[in-house]
Amino acid sequence: MKHFLSLFILFLVSSGTQLRGQITDTLMAKVREEYNDERLLKSSINSNPANMTGARKYNMTTFRLATETTDTPNEIQQKGKGKKIWGAEINTLQMLDQKTTVWGNASYTQGKTKQVVWNENADYDLIYPYVAADSVGGDMKFENYSFSGGYSKSIHSFTLGITGSYRAHLSYRDVDPRPKNTAANFSLAVGASKTIFQKFKTGAYLEGEKYTQKHYLSFVSNQGFPMIYNMNGLGNYNELLSGKLRQAYYEGWSYGGGLQFFEAANRDLYLEVGFKKRSIDKLLTEYSDLNASRIDERQLHFSLGKFFNTGKINWGISVNGNSIERKGTENLFLNENSRNYIQIGSVERYNHKLNHIILKGLLQIENNDVKSSLTPFLGWMKEKEKYNNPLSSVELGKITYGADYQWLKTFSTALALSVSLGISVTDVYQKNAVFNNSGKPSINQMLQENYAFQSSDFWQAKFDMNIHFSCPVIRNAFVGGKVMYTSFNNGNNTLFAATIGTIF
């Protein structure tokens, strides 16, 4: 928290300096840019830090306090049944001159995830399927700290950029079973772009990330404790390592990069492609850092868009796609005694493939004081998760369609209202599952309940409203609220959020 406050003060000081040189930048112009759907659709180009120069027209600093409550009875059990969160965040982007841009972010959140079962680790999406698990679980408290910053500079026809980020995460429970997980991510990216044919830019970037997680599980009760499983995927677990191990260390690296081509002035035409490879090892610290398993993941993505400006009407289309394949390798051991394990081989048994593509359109109309936009979309997703011995698999195909609408009204230079509405439908057109039912009844039940959620059709509606105003103390404050309702075949999920902050 001390470091977060220090960065907050630093951002305020630097932003205040920049504000003195921005007399011509009206607050309402900044608000309109902040809610610009077209800018958000083009944001994939900014994965190259060199492209942050030209990403905005105005210097912007936003500070917000937020709270959020979600109730998610429809969710896989490893992710819990909802969250209660509060936190603070500050973002800033400052153009020091026409050729130099700096940006930064600092945030702190804390809260709890409700009724987490079959997962005693943090960062489930990063380390699955190799988690410690039990059938008892409970609420999991957590804290997150994150910091990031970047710098880009134009030199003749070239622009160079660099950005880095750090995230620290703590999660724990005060009742048995009592996990304590400390995780950290550190990432760095460098990039460059060059002006070609006077009106286009082409660029490339490279990125790398280091990830660690320390896991420790303890019990206080003398009345016994549940079985702790060393999970391997789709309900399968390592019988040799389960029931004994309460400590683990996850360590991994990722690297990647991408290429971009876009129209320089307004980014009305852009193409971005990228890749990332990640590997994470699970080490058993109680047994001299014995390597129990390894995750290898490959990600490919692309983004393509074309936009047109006809006076007060902007319209365009974008396509985004990604392909992810995660492979899991288990190491095999000979158990000579209770404290001595000898690796005798390894076998790849887990595979998870996910392909997703989404097509979005944009129609944006702007008058003197009203700006509205409609964003229809259509998406396709194909997923297959498999464990090959004993055979277990889940195969799903989904289609998603819907639209988002935004209305922004500027009443004066000090008062504005933004309203966003959205509705979407997800239809599962293909579903098939095969489970190894020879395991524990509680594990079989978990698999069936997770599959019922994953294979369910659902529709979602959301409403988001923000009011921007000035008062004697704060030049441009805002308050907002968001409601989201998701209806499944056998129940519904809800989200309620509230925000207060300032833009300058």
Side-chain angles (χ1 to χ4, degrees), residues 373-385:
S373 63
L374 178 67
T375 308
F377 56 87
L378 173 65
W380 170 85
M381 188 272 286
K382 180 76 171 181
E383 179 180 11
K384 185 172 183 179
E385 187 177 12

Side-chain angles (χ1 to χ4, degrees), residues 463-481:
F463 173 80
D464 192 353
M465 183 174 70
N466 292 276
I467 302 173
H468 293 259
F469 59 93
S470 292
C471 57
V473 179
I474 303 176
R475 188 181 178 193
N476 184 27
F478 65 86
V479 295

Side-chain angles (χ1 to χ4, degrees), residues 323-431:
S323 175
I324 302 173
E325 182 175 14
R326 171 172 293 207
K327 298 179 180 179
T329 300
E330 304 166 23
N331 292 327
L332 307 176
F333 304 100
L334 177 64
N335 181 209
E336 291 190 338
N337 56 62
S338 62
R339 303 298 299 177
N340 188 16
Y341 289 80
I342 299 175
Q343 183 176 337
I344 58 175
S346 62
V347 59
E348 182 184 304
R349 288 178 174 166
Y350 179 81
N351 187 277
H352 188 190
K353 295 180 181 179
L354 178 64
N355 296 300
H356 180 248
I357 189 168
I358 185 166
L359 173 68
K360 291 186 177 182
L362 175 68
L363 176 62
Q364 189 167 268
I365 302 174
E366 184 170 5
N367 295 316
N368 294 331
D369 56 359
V370 175
K371 182 177 182 179
S372 59
S373 63
L374 178 67
T375 308
F377 56 87
L378 173 65
W380 170 85
M381 188 272 286
K382 180 76 171 181
E383 179 180 11
K384 185 172 183 179
E385 187 177 12
K386 182 179 179 181
Y387 191 88
N388 59 29
N389 186 21
L391 178 64
S392 302
S393 68
V394 173
E395 189 169 2
L396 300 168
K398 299 180 181 181
I399 293 178
T400 300
Y401 53 93
D404 294 321
Y405 175 77
Q406 183 186 90
W407 182 81
L408 175 63
K409 169 72 173 178
T410 303
F411 296 96
S412 68
T413 58
L415 182 63
L417 172 65
S418 169
V419 176
S420 298
L421 304 170
I423 188 165
S424 65
V425 176
T426 298
D427 290 329
V428 180
Y429 68 88
Q430 179 184 5
K431 55 184 177 181

Side-chain angles (χ1 to χ4, degrees), residues 76-108:
I76 65 171
Q77 297 189 28
Q78 289 83 352
K79 293 186 178 182
K81 300 302 180 184
K83 292 184 178 182
K84 291 185 177 180
I85 306 172
W86 74 268
E89 180 181 23
I90 185 166
N91 296 278
T92 187
L93 182 144
Q94 303 294 322
M95 292 168 281
L96 304 183
D97 54 47
Q98 291 184 345
K99 297 183 177 181
T100 308
T101 301
V102 296
W103 63 93
N105 167 275
S107 68
Y108 169 79

